[in-house]
Amino acid sequence: QKEVEQNSGPLSVPEGAIASLNCTYSDRGSQSFFWYRQYSGKSPELIMSIYSNGDKEDGRFTAQLNKASQYVSLLIRDSQPSDSATYLCAVSGGYQKVTFGTGTKLQVIP
Amino acid sequence: NAGVTQTPKFQVLKTGQSMTLQCAQDMNHNSMYWYRQDPGMGLRLIYYSASEGTTDKGEVPNGYNVSRLNKREFSLRLESAAPSQTSVYFCASSLSGTYSNQPQHFGDGTRLSIL
């Protein structure tokens, strides 16, 4: 079992819809969770950090964390073609242990 | 407002050649990291430095060495390049010290091809 799992996609959504990206992790001691966006040929860019159970909203993005079920998700409202990218989930288990998922490719169809 | 700067951006090497990838950050971050990213493999940690003066192996350290020159700079060296080291290399930094509870910020990457 991979430590951080994401569906590789591609996840295709129409423009204006809500895109839902999911990530599960295996280390119950994980405490910090991050979502990165990576455009093709570019470097990962931090979108959201979340540290406690519940929802955290930032503009069109909402991160959701459920530590009991060991999953973290990212919702993108009013999806735009410019949101088309690969989204990486990263989970921190403490001492210099940050594990990245392999990413979900999102395609927003105009 | 440079953030994390990597040089070079592209490099082609022949098998057996050596080279050093340079990374510098201007955010006064404590921790620095080197990753490689290959298709379908995600980001894999090569080496990291939790603080100035310390370095530790990550998931895939074989064939690489690192130097934390000072708080700003963290270099990655390939002593004898092999085709399996063809990859995109990212340097990252984080405010975190010992505990990685802060996000990492990435440089633009170095695209390295070994023939």
Side-chain angles (χ1 to χ4, degrees), chain B residues 26-87:
Chain B
D26 63 2
M27 296 176 283
N28 200 34
H29 282 175
N30 294 303
S31 299
M32 298 186 73
Y33 310 83
W34 277 105
Y35 292 91
R36 60 179 289 173
Q37 188 174 40
D38 302 290
M41 302 292 288
L43 284 162
R44 292 185 291 170
L45 183 65
I46 304 171
Y47 271 93
Y48 66 93
S49 171
S51 60
E52 185 179 357
T54 69
T55 60
D56 284 288
K57 295 178 180 179
E59 181 185 356
V60 288
N62 291 345
Y64 306 95
N65 285 299
V66 291
S67 296
R68 183 77 182 265
L69 303 170
N70 47 56
K71 191 171 185 178
R72 292 186 62 248
E73 298 173 287
F74 188 39
S75 63
L76 177 72
R77 183 162 177 83
L78 287 70
E79 290 290 353
S80 179
S84 60
Q85 294 178 305
T86 293
S87 188

Side-chain angles (χ1 to χ4, degrees), chain A residues 36 38 41 43 51 92 94 96, chain B residues 33 37 97 100-101 104 107 111:
Chain A
Y36 291 83
Q38 186 174 24
S43 60
Y51 301 95
S92 171
Q96 293 298 338
Chain B
Y33 310 83
Q37 188 174 40
S100 52
N101 59 350
Q104 296 179 18
R111 282 142 186 84

Side-chain angles (χ1 to χ4, degrees), chain A residues 63-98:
Chain A
Q64 300 176 317
L65 175 60
N66 184 322
K67 289 185 178 180
S69 299
Q70 294 175 247
Y71 82 78
V72 56
S73 61
L74 180 70
L75 302 179
I76 306 174
R77 290 182 300 281
D78 188 24
S79 295
Q80 301 297 309
S82 59
D83 295 325
S84 298
T86 296
Y87 290 79
L88 307 176
C89 171
V91 176
S92 171
Y95 178 71
Q96 293 298 338
K97 182 173 171 56
V98 177

Side-chain angles (χ1 to χ4, degrees), chain A residues 3-20:
Chain A
E3 294 185 45
V4 177
E5 295 213 42
Q6 296 182 256
N7 188 318
S8 61
L11 172 66
S12 295
V13 299
E15 183 175 354
I18 296 175
S20 178

Side-chain angles (χ1 to χ4, degrees), chain A residues 21-60:
Chain A
L21 305 163
N22 299 312
C23 171
T24 59
Y25 60 93
S26 60
D27 184 354
R28 283 194 170 274
S30 299
Q31 299 186 11
S32 306
F33 306 85
F34 311 100
W35 282 100
Y36 291 83
R37 176 176 62 200
Q38 186 174 24
Y39 291 113
S40 180
K42 302 294 186 181
S43 60
E45 171 193 13
L46 179 71
I47 300 175
M48 299 275 291
S49 304
I50 186 167
Y51 301 95
S52 54
N53 280 330
D55 295 358
K56 179 181 178 182
E57 187 174 318
D58 184 359
R60 296 187 296 112

